[in-house]
Amino acid sequence: MDNLITFSVTVFTAFFAITNPISNMTVFLSLTQGADKKTKHDINRRSNIIAFIIVAVFVLLGKYIFELFNISIPAFKITGGILIFFIGFDMLQSKQSNVKTLDNVHVDENIAVSPLAIPILAGPGTIVTAMNFVANVETIHIILVILIFGSMSLLTYITFRLSDLIVRIVGNNVISVIGKIMGLIIAIIGTGMIIQGIKLSFDLIK
């Protein structure tokens, strides 16, 4: 029992570090800027459900998916890192989505799938971490990993749902600064994933 508790705490800590709801809230606010409450709610709900399904599928079938499509983890990390880098770079530049105009704000709800669900909420780091936790373990550990990520998805959903309230309390200027800082951090994380992918590639060659 103690081992399961330790395992659960370790998994939760790892998932929280990667899918930090507070950090990702600034990404959510940036991508949905100008959207009405219903649109924000729909994007929030869809992105977290899709992210949960993606991680759960990879936890259960990841090894077979990689083998079926001949996907290597280094290639997965490099591609995901490039996507994450450009998301962070756009946040640093304070670029607005190209589907918005000053006169008629429209938010494409497909952002719930990309980039929110993947690679932000269920990116290469999250998927690889989840797959590492279920390598050569018993069924109970696999169930725990799925349940813990489900709790992270719920926590993220609640954080996104309260994002407007958090903004009113903290202020737009502070959120803007945090957004730029998070953009830099996200870009660095993306660069780190690319470097890790390249290193793994050379390790496989040796």
Side-chain angles (χ1 to χ4, degrees):
M1 186 65 181
D2 289 340
N3 289 336
L4 289 178
I5 293 174
T6 302
F7 177 80
S8 299
V9 171
T10 302
V11 173
F12 181 85
T13 302
F15 278 146
F16 187 86
I18 295 173
T19 63
N20 191 319
I22 302 300
S23 299
N24 285 331
M25 184 193 73
T26 60
V27 181
F28 175 77
L29 287 171
S30 175
L31 292 172
T32 60
Q33 183 178 351
D36 56 55
K37 288 185 178 180
K38 183 181 182 303
T39 301
K40 282 188 176 183
H41 173 68
D42 289 343
I43 292 173
N44 181 14
R45 177 176 52 80
R46 287 179 59 201
S47 63
N48 279 286
I49 290 174
I50 292 169
F52 172 75
I53 292 173
I54 289 171
V55 173
V57 168
F58 270 97
V59 165
L60 296 171
L61 304 173
K63 179 182 178 181
Y64 304 103
I65 292 174
F66 274 53
E67 290 177 354
L68 177 63
F69 293 100
N70 197 27
I71 300 172
S72 67
I73 289 179
F76 189 67
K77 292 182 77 69
I78 290 171
T79 303
I82 292 172
L83 291 172
I84 291 174
F85 172 83
F86 279 109
I87 291 168
F89 183 77
D90 283 347
M91 289 175 65
L92 274 172
Q93 298 298 313
S94 297
K95 289 184 179 180
Q96 303 299 318
S97 172
N98 58 11
V99 297
K100 301 175 186 175
T101 65
L102 292 176
D103 297 324
N104 183 24
V105 177
H106 171 69
V107 177
D108 187 351
E109 293 188 28
N110 287 326
I111 63 174
V113 179
S114 178
L116 268 179
I118 187 167
I120 294 174
L121 298 179
T126 306
I127 293 172
V128 171
T129 298
M131 290 175 64
N132 285 338
F133 278 124
V134 298
N136 300 318
V137 295
E138 298 177 3
T139 303
I140 183 63
H141 294 87
I142 296 174
I143 294 172
L144 281 173
V145 170
I146 294 174
L147 290 176
I148 291 169
F149 188 77
S151 68
M152 282 305 309
S153 297
L154 178 60
L155 183 60
T156 302
Y157 170 82
I158 294 171
T159 303
F160 287 2
R161 188 72 186 268
L162 298 176
S163 59
D164 288 331
L165 176 61
I166 295 173
V167 169
R168 284 199 296 271
I169 295 173
V170 177
N172 282 318
N173 290 335
V174 175
I175 291 294
S176 177
V177 172
I178 293 175
K180 288 183 179 294
I181 294 173
M182 289 302 107
L184 176 61
I185 292 173
I186 289 171
I188 292 171
I189 290 173
T191 303
M193 286 184 178
I194 295 171
I195 294 172
Q196 290 172 10
I198 294 172
K199 285 183 177 178
L200 286 172
S201 297
F202 281 107
D203 289 340
L204 291 175
I205 293 174
K206 291 179 182 180

